Amino acid sequence: MMNGDNKTNEAMREVYNGTDIVRKPICGIVSGYHNLPYIMVAAYEDNPKRCTQVSGQINVSPKFVISASTLAETFGSVFDPGTFDSDIEGRIFSFANISNRNMKIESKNFSIEHFEESFSERLERVTDLLMSQEDTRTGLIGCPNFRYYPVSIDKFISEILDREFRV
């Protein structure tokens, strides 16, 4: 956990709990796909008529890869620290210690776009686009606060890993 700043931890906890995994990929890691494409729509705190869309792909190594470095991956080592609040740069992924899963996580094809439309309008537009394209592999995430978007992506990955590796 971070430097003990309760306000920061509370903010991250609120973002984690407020994250809505709108759409989970149908195929996943166990079925041979070791990448999780995602689109995340994030609300602007100060302007309800604007939103941000983050797209990318999380690559997850097969379960059998063992590396000491995978047990301490932080947001700053996976995402570009210049794109999110510096308070969370050193935060370790929450799923890193669950059941001692030895995996390597990488972020690829990362892009950020800003839109002059509300969070709910953009989320609906992306949902419609994914359905019209019959895209079953891309996850859709609703993020309550862009400053902490890696926390929302962390929740997305955690839920996928929980589903894929449930014993």
Side-chain angles (χ1 to χ4, degrees), residues 5-160:
D5 181 352
N6 291 332
K7 184 177 180 190
T8 300
N9 292 339
E10 182 179 325
M12 285 188 273
R13 194 170 26 259
E14 286 177 17
V15 170
Y16 191 89
N17 293 334
T19 296
D20 182 19
I21 309 303
V22 179
R23 224 166 163 252
K24 291 182 185 176
I26 290 176
C27 56
I29 299 165
V30 170
S31 58
Y33 296 95
H34 299 294
N35 56 38
L36 300 170
Y38 67 88
I39 298 172
M40 186 195 69
V41 178
Y44 263 66
E45 281 183 290
D46 57 348
N47 187 345
K49 295 184 180 193
R50 295 195 73 205
C51 67
T52 300
Q53 180 175 307
V54 176
S55 302
Q57 177 176 304
I58 298 296
N59 291 340
V60 181
S61 69
K63 190 174 182 179
F64 58 86
V65 171
I66 298 174
S67 167
S69 67
T70 61
L71 299 178
E73 288 194 302
T74 64
F75 290 135
S77 65
V78 177
F79 300 102
D80 175 10
T83 63
F84 56 82
D85 192 290
S86 62
D87 288 345
I88 66 172
E89 181 176 347
R91 182 177 183 272
I92 294 175
F93 277 105
S94 67
F95 58 82
N97 296 319
I98 299 173
S99 303
N100 289 327
R101 295 184 184 131
N102 295 314
M103 298 177 202
K104 177 78 176 154
I105 308 294
E106 295 179 300
S107 178
K108 299 282 185 184
N109 306 323
F110 183 79
S111 69
I112 298 175
E113 298 177 79
H114 304 282
F115 293 93
E116 296 291 330
E117 62 185 324
S118 73
F119 168 79
S120 59
E121 290 171 337
R122 187 70 196 161
L123 203 56
E124 186 175 326
R125 186 180 312 274
V126 173
T127 300
D128 291 345
L129 177 67
L130 291 172
M131 287 188 348
S132 71
Q133 293 175 343
E134 298 180 2
D135 185 337
T136 61
R137 295 192 58 214
T138 302
L140 179 57
I141 308 160
C143 174
N145 185 337
F146 176 70
R147 288 179 45 211
Y148 299 110
Y149 78 84
V151 176
S152 294
I153 294 172
D154 187 10
K155 181 174 181 176
F156 169 67
I157 296 169
S158 293
E159 288 192 10
I160 300 302

